[in-house]
Amino acid sequence: MGILEINHVSKSFNGRKVLDDISIEVQEGEFVTILGPSGSGKSTLFHLIGGLITPDEGSIMLDGGNITGKRGSISYMPQQPALFPWRTVLENVLLGQELHEKKDVEKAITMISKAGLSGYEHSLPSELSGGMKQRVAFIRALLSPQSLICLDEPFSALDDFTRLEMHQWLLSIWADFKRTILFVTHNMDEALFLSDRIIVLSSNPAKVIHEVKVPFERPRESELLLKNEFLAIKKELYQTVGRA
C-alpha cells in the first residue's frame, strides 16, 4: 500500500470529462512525475488531491486515511512561487509550519542556508531573483508537516539554464530529506532527470496510458541529458505522448 492511493478517479466539468478512471499509487520517499500534454488534466488532478474539488467517482487515500474532498492534507507548490510580499524569506518558509503550530526557526534557517540563501533570511521577495523565489517556495513546502509534497510545474517560468540549476538543487535537497514528491510537468527532460517513476497521461479525457521506471542512479549530473540511454527513453516518452 502506497502513501498516496488515487483509486479510479474521474472528473467532469460542464459535461466534459477531464479525468477518466485514474488510478495512481506513490510509495513513501518516491519522486513520481505525472507527464502529459498541456490541458491533459494534470493540474485538475492536483486540485482533487488537495481537496479543492471533489471527484465525480473514485477516492483518494493518504497515509491510510480517506482525504477525498479534504483540504490541508498535502503540501502544495504551484507554478508561481506565491510568496507573501510583506513577509521576509524566513517568515515565508515558516508559513506552513505556523498554520500547524509547529514552527522550527532553527531548521528553517538551516534549510535557507542549504538553499544558498544565507544572508537573505530577512529580505523581502521583491529583492530576490526568480530562481531564488522558487527555492524559498520549495523550502516552505519541504518544511510543511504533511507527508506528501505536490509540485505543479514549478520551474515552467524559468529559463533553461536556471531550470537546470534548479533541478540539480532540488535533487540535492531532496536527497537529504527524502520527502515523498508528486510532480507535474509537460517537459520530458525534466521528468526523466528528476524522477523515480513517470506516469504518462493522455488528454481529452486524461487516462493513464504508460508508466516508466527511470533507471538512472542518483546523484544525477547534467551530462545525463546527453547520454544515449536517456535519449532513448525520451524518444519512447515522446512517441507515447504524441499518440495521447
Side-chain angles (χ1 to χ4, degrees):
M1 185 171 69
I3 188 172
L4 173 70
E5 296 175 74
I6 300 170
N7 302 309
H8 304 289
V9 163
S10 296
K11 182 66 179 178
S12 298
F13 294 103
N14 300 319
R16 184 176 72 88
K17 184 165 276 192
V18 177
L19 302 176
D20 185 15
D21 195 27
I22 300 287
S23 291
I24 295 171
E25 189 170 304
V26 180
Q27 304 298 324
E28 184 174 1
E30 252 194 320
F31 195 126
V32 175
T33 292
I34 297 173
L35 177 71
S38 295
S40 62
K42 302 184 298 295
S43 293
T44 299
L45 185 59
F46 267 14
H47 293 159
L48 288 165
I49 297 169
L52 299 177
I53 55 177
T54 56
D56 300 329
E57 301 172 32
S59 64
I60 300 168
M61 308 290 290
L62 183 66
D63 298 322
N66 192 329
I67 63 165
T68 310
K70 295 181 180 178
R71 300 188 183 194
S73 301
I74 65 165
S75 178
Y76 177 68
M77 181 176 168
Q79 294 179 17
Q80 299 300 321
L83 304 177
F84 287 117
W86 60 88
R87 294 181 67 120
T88 66
V89 167
L90 180 59
E91 290 168 342
N92 267 291
V93 303
L94 286 169
L95 181 61
Q97 291 189 336
E98 283 180 21
L99 294 174
H100 291 81
E101 299 181 350
K102 296 180 178 179
K103 193 159 68 170
D104 187 339
V105 175
E106 185 177 339
K107 185 175 182 180
I109 291 174
T110 299
M111 292 285 289
I112 290 169
S113 176
K114 282 181 175 290
L117 295 173
S118 289
Y120 288 93
E121 293 88 349
H122 304 294
S123 298
L124 295 173
S126 60
E127 301 172 58
L128 308 179
S129 69
M132 293 164 76
K133 291 176 185 176
Q134 292 296 76
R135 292 183 187 211
V136 173
F138 182 67
I139 295 168
R140 180 179 60 194
L142 203 59
L143 284 172
S144 295
Q146 297 93 338
S147 59
L148 176 69
I149 302 175
C150 290
L151 305 180
D152 188 357
E153 300 195 59
F155 309 130
S156 59
L158 302 178
D159 64 76
D160 288 343
F161 292 106
T162 305
R163 182 191 289 241
L164 181 57
E165 179 184 297
M166 287 298 297
H167 291 167
Q168 293 172 307
W169 173 80
L170 172 57
L171 289 183
S172 69
I173 292 290
W174 180 74
D176 287 340
F177 292 91
K178 278 291 184 181
R179 297 288 298 280
T180 306
I181 291 179
L182 187 62
F183 187 92
V184 156
T185 186
H186 59 265
N187 185 298
M188 295 177 198
D189 284 344
E190 187 168 73
L192 275 170
F193 190 74
L194 294 174
S195 312
D196 295 315
R197 278 191 299 131
I198 300 170
I199 294 165
V200 182
L201 297 185
S202 64
S203 58
N204 303 315
K207 297 182 179 181
V208 176
I209 57 171
H210 192 55
E211 183 174 317
V212 172
K213 185 172 176 58
V214 180
F216 311 121
E217 294 183 359
R218 301 184 187 275
R220 296 173 184 171
E221 302 296 335
S222 58
E223 291 78 12
L224 175 63
L225 296 166
L226 300 176
K227 290 189 175 180
N228 288 334
E229 188 179 8
F230 184 96
L231 295 173
I233 301 176
K234 181 180 177 180
K235 181 180 179 181
E236 174 191 337
L237 288 172
Y238 183 81
Q239 291 173 337
T240 301
V241 172
R243 295 192 299 267

